[in-house]
Amino acid sequence: MQGARPDGYTIGSINTPGYLSVPIERRVRYDRSRIRAIARLVDDPTAFVVHRDSPIRSLADLVAEAKRRPGQLSLGTSGVGTDDHLALTLFEAATGTEFIHTPYAGAGQVKNALLARHIDVAGLNLGEIGMLGQDKPALRPLAGMGAARWELMPEVPTFRELGYDVLMTSERGIGAPRDIPEEVAQRLQDAVARTVAKPDWAEKARQLELPMAYLPGAEWEAQMPAQEARYRQIWERTPWQR
């Protein structure tokens, strides 16, 4: 995306925290100064999830079991430096626990591993669990890491409600080359805003279990320096990769 012609015909996806956190731990092939955020679409809270038959019924249970068996419970994530992994790092620091971090190549693999009981706990976004509309969903979220409960899963508490100051979400949106003309960028942003405001879009997002949270590109980008600083503090205190 950053090397494409800035004519509005080439856009790409942006996913935080990886977009901001990965450059902290290693060199990357993209330069954020050459990328412009056009719009945020989704803000999906990270969650710790267990199999429905797991004896772990709450975060308190999880902490107790992790302390009873230090370094023995496995927790799968969608990769090093992802929101799931950063959340695990924060949770371990906040609770004095230690898990076996089990990184996979994506959320689908994490979900399959939990379904097969290859791992004890999964770090998944609430929108990735696939439990809405099911009488007996196979997976059960213990809590979500959003600032508030998600309206489509109001029964799932937040970590902060339960006394654990862990806040982590996956924001997803679109970007374009930084030098895109202002009028073209505005046209793209307006098109996104009109689309997500349509009732049929809202219904499709509900079916896909997407926590929609539209933000204009400038507002989203204005939040990124503070987010990056927070991830850098996490890295300095508890590096998520050694």
Side-chain angles (χ1 to χ4, degrees), residues 155-212:
E155 74 285 356
V156 179
T158 68
F159 273 60
R160 284 181 169 179
E161 285 180 62
L162 300 176
Y164 304 96
D165 190 18
V166 179
L167 184 70
M168 188 64 62
T169 67
S170 173
E171 295 179 284
R172 303 166 210 146
I174 61 174
R178 176 68 65 180
D179 294 335
I180 186 174
E182 183 63 34
E183 64 273 16
V184 176
Q186 190 63 49
R187 197 179 310 152
L188 287 170
Q189 178 180 289
D190 291 346
V192 172
R194 288 195 304 270
T195 299
V196 300
K198 293 180 178 180
D200 55 344
W201 174 275
E203 175 57 23
K204 177 57 72 173
R206 188 195 65 78
Q207 293 172 7
L208 295 173
E209 302 185 20
L210 292 175
M212 296 301 298

Side-chain angles (χ1 to χ4, degrees), residues 45-56:
T46 309
F48 283 170
V49 183
V50 295
H51 193 279
R52 71 180 176 197
D53 296 330
S54 171
I56 298 171

